[in-house]
Amino acid sequence: MRGACAVAGVTVLVVVGAGMAAAGDESGRPDLARYYTQKIKWGTCKGDTEAMAEATGGAKDIRCGHVSVPLDYADPASGDVDVAMIRMKSSASGKPRGSLLLNFGGPGGPGVSALAGAQKDFGFLSKDYDVVSFDPRGVGLSEPVSCGDADKSTDPSSGGTGDAAAVLAEMRKVAAECAKKSAPVLPHMGTVNVSRDLDVMRQALGDKKLNYLGFSYGTRLGAVYAAQFPKNVGRMVLDGVDTLTEPVAEQSLVTAEGRQTALDNFLTWCTGNAGCVFGTDSRSARKGMVRLIKDMDQMPLRSLDGAEFTGQDVVGVLGQALYSRQAWPALSQALGALLADGDPRALIRMSGGLVPTGIPSTGPATGPATGPAAGEEVPADNMAAALMGVNCADDPDRPDAAHIEKEVGKLQKQFDDASPVFGKSMLMPVLLCFGRPAGTKYIREDVRDVKTPKLLLVGTRGDPATPYRWTEETARRLGSQAVVLDNKGDGHTGYLGSTCVQDKVNGFLLYGETPKSGESCAADEG
């Protein structure tokens, strides 16, 4: 879940049934046979993906490929999108069970680089499955969308209600720049289309059923797939369950609140340990963090080639690092280097980005740069642009200009009150949907009461991004087939942070062992 920039216009064509139900027939549906009969040609991964796979010790078992999907499922003749894929081959001595597809979330998160860098985390599942991931359309190596620097030129938190018209005028400029840089794929973003791409991948992999593990936004994708293709669902796990009903504004506000709580908890932990750069008082530390962000937005660090590292860049790193309590020691050290020496390198590396040329450093770099920012083929703002492209496409709520102008000041205060650190960055996604076509109503109205095998939903009580109540709400919507595993720990999602959750998810995916609904994992089992 959460926000960046795009034009949304999704044509919804609901397909129910298996495999070739999406192909042409006398009912007038478009002929998709050529997509459903393609085979994937697996080969050596290239560039940063290959380097990352080698660095994490499993390049020989990693292969890359792609499938072609229609740009527009209502009009397949309008063009194709090549969806990049990656496969970690099963270590089974005999024939593997099939494929297990992973989506790491976002929306806008690349799956190719994520799996290349996380092979050990899914090694146990590869005993029975070929573990597969992909970059969804518009993301990473799958025809990435971009808004350039357009979204950085607008500060929605500056000024009051009197500036509302100017802010919204700037939003229109951003939308135009996004459309210019990202045509033709940008109008065809959205989970409904990615779900249909997922079914093409399932068929191209040779699987009768989709076995799937989705994290965060990946749970929304899995739920939509279960509604569109219920007969094709195999074993499906949704971890860190996203909302299917709340509009972008509510999602962003919840995320701002969750991240602020996680930051407050981090600062309380930091100030209770020797050497915390913020001192020993947690209240002063919170004020110090707000001051740091404001100061760096006003006076960014500049590299020799002119690149900037701003307060909002710090916010972006915090948003990722706070997802896991295990990252807190490294985050404390990285913030110490920034405050004491003006050195952002450790923070930048925590986000998976490259250090801008010429940024001063007082010490050696730690660890390789990873992620989409490390590849020249992928625009630096791709994750942000794709995230908003999908969220706008999935949200049918579009208030008119008069209503938005009236509400901008109220929204600014609401988000600042929710989080003085994350409020600004979380408001931007809300405003960037302004002026775009209304998104699909399908997710909100039709993704419910699915007729699939049992689905395992994992909710974490201390999740800063997807609150536990969303797990309960989504389980009720999906109906009697949804089984909830209550993880009483902290962090975003449960599989990689709790041994108990990992054991139960592995048992479900590998052996069909379904936990009883309401079964829990204690916080100290992580």
Side-chain angles (χ1 to χ4, degrees):
M1 163 4 342
R2 293 61 18 208
C5 147
V7 174
V10 176
T11 302
V12 179
L13 180 63
V14 179
V15 177
V16 178
M20 298 304 293
D25 57 29
E26 63 276 6
S27 68
R29 293 191 184 108
D31 185 359
L32 303 178
R34 70 183 179 92
Y35 301 102
Y36 274 86
T37 54
Q38 66 185 304
K39 300 296 181 183
I40 302 170
K41 295 180 180 178
W42 297 106
T44 303
C45 298
K46 304 296 184 184
D48 294 326
T49 303
E50 181 183 28
M52 198 179 307
E54 290 176 349
T56 51
K60 64 180 182 301
D61 297 321
I62 288 285
R63 292 291 182 270
C64 292
H66 74 271
V67 295
S68 294
V69 297
L71 176 67
D72 182 353
Y73 277 91
D75 181 18
S78 64
D80 294 347
V81 176
D82 285 340
V83 175
M85 300 180 68
I86 186 169
R87 183 188 69 181
M88 180 167 67
K89 192 171 177 58
S90 171
S91 60
S93 56
K95 186 177 181 181
R97 182 187 300 277
S99 304
L100 175 70
L101 269 84
L102 306 182
N103 181 279
F104 290 92
V112 171
S113 60
L115 182 56
Q119 298 165 68
K120 292 180 181 178
D121 294 323
F122 301 97
F124 192 81
L125 290 170
S126 73
K127 290 182 178 181
D128 271 25
Y129 290 103
D130 288 335
V131 180
V132 178
S133 193
F134 63 100
D135 290 352
R137 59 171 62 206
V139 173
L141 302 176
S142 299
E143 304 191 20
V145 296
S146 173
C147 297
D149 293 327
D151 60 331
K152 295 182 181 179
S153 66
T154 302
D155 182 354
S157 65
S158 63
T161 54
D163 297 320
V167 169
L168 297 181
E170 195 65 32
M171 292 296 108
R172 292 188 184 94
K173 288 184 184 178
V174 174
E177 190 67 12
C178 296
K180 177 181 177 181
K181 290 183 177 295
S182 301
V185 72
L186 190 54
H188 300 283
M189 301 282 284
T191 304
V192 170
N193 278 331
V194 177
S195 171
R196 302 191 67 182
D197 297 344
L198 198 58
D199 199 56
V200 172
M201 284 182 256
R202 173 198 60 77
Q203 184 74 16
L205 288 165
D207 295 326
K208 292 182 179 179
K209 302 287 185 181
L210 176 74
N211 299 304
Y212 179 82
L213 173 55
F215 299 99
S216 193
Y217 161 76
T219 68
R220 189 196 312 172
L221 175 58
V224 171
Y225 185 90
Q228 285 187 301
F229 301 97
K231 294 181 180 179
N232 295 354
V233 174
R235 295 174 182 172
M236 180 175 285
V237 177
L238 310 180
D239 183 3
V241 182
D242 200 358
T243 180
L244 300 174
T245 59
E246 294 184 0
V248 168
E250 183 61 28
Q251 292 179 41
S252 294
L253 191 62
V254 167
T255 300
E257 292 170 342
R259 288 183 176 179
Q260 185 64 47
T261 298
L263 177 59
D264 291 347
N265 291 342
F266 162 74
L267 291 173
T268 298
W269 169 87
C270 181
T271 54
N273 288 273
C276 179
V277 72
F278 290 102
T280 59
D281 182 73
S282 60
R283 181 176 296 183
S284 296
R286 294 185 187 102
K287 293 179 180 178
M289 180 64 78
V290 173
R291 188 165 55 250
L292 169 67
I293 303 303
K294 288 183 177 179
D295 288 349
M296 288 193 62
D297 276 339
Q298 293 174 359
M299 294 184 294
L301 293 175
R302 295 181 185 274
S303 66
L304 296 179
D305 63 359
E308 293 184 345
F309 188 74
T310 69
Q312 292 310 300
D313 290 324
V314 175
V315 171
V317 178
L318 290 173
Q320 296 182 53
L322 291 170
Y323 277 175
S324 171
R325 193 180 182 96
Q326 296 170 341
W328 286 8
L331 178 60
S332 178
Q333 292 178 2
L335 288 169
L338 178 67
L339 281 165
D341 304 311
D343 178 12
R345 289 165 60 94
L347 273 179
I348 294 170
R349 292 186 187 283
M350 286 193 75
S351 71
L354 284 175
V355 179
T357 304
I359 284 285
S361 172
T362 58
T366 55
T370 60
E376 294 182 359
E377 300 176 65
V378 183
D381 74 319
N382 174 241
M383 288 183 69
L387 188 153
M388 187 41 51
V390 173
N391 277 347
C392 292
D394 287 359
D395 184 3
D397 296 319
R398 289 293 183 278
D400 59 31
H403 179 79
I404 285 286
E405 286 189 31
K406 183 178 178 181
E407 294 294 318
V408 162
K410 180 181 176 182
L411 282 170
Q412 289 172 353
K413 184 178 187 308
Q414 199 175 16
F415 275 76
D416 285 342
D417 288 347
S419 172
V421 171
F422 297 102
K424 175 180 175 179
S425 63
M426 289 294 98
L427 176 57
M428 179 69 85
V430 179
L431 296 181
L432 284 173
C433 281
F434 168 73
R436 290 161 173 76
T440 177
K441 295 181 179 180
Y442 176 74
I443 299 173
R444 189 173 296 176
E445 295 181 356
D446 296 327
V447 180
R448 59 172 69 245
D449 300 319
V450 296
K451 308 300 181 185
T452 65
K454 292 292 184 183
L455 309 173
L456 179 58
L457 278 60
V458 181
T460 298
R461 293 283 179 169
D463 196 314
T466 51
Y468 186 78
R469 65 177 174 84
W470 285 356
T471 302
E472 296 177 311
E473 291 170 2
T474 299
R476 286 194 293 270
R477 281 182 59 87
L478 296 180
S480 60
Q481 296 307 97
V483 176
V484 172
L485 177 62
D486 180 357
N487 177 28
K488 298 186 183 298
D490 295 306
H492 184 39
T493 73
Y495 185 78
L496 298 180
S498 166
T499 302
C500 171
V501 170
Q502 192 167 95
D503 287 345
K504 291 186 183 299
V505 168
N506 288 346
F508 177 79
L509 290 172
L510 294 174
Y511 313 118
E513 298 170 349
T514 306
K516 295 179 181 178
S517 191
E519 194 169 336
S520 65
C521 283
D524 60 357
E525 294 190 48

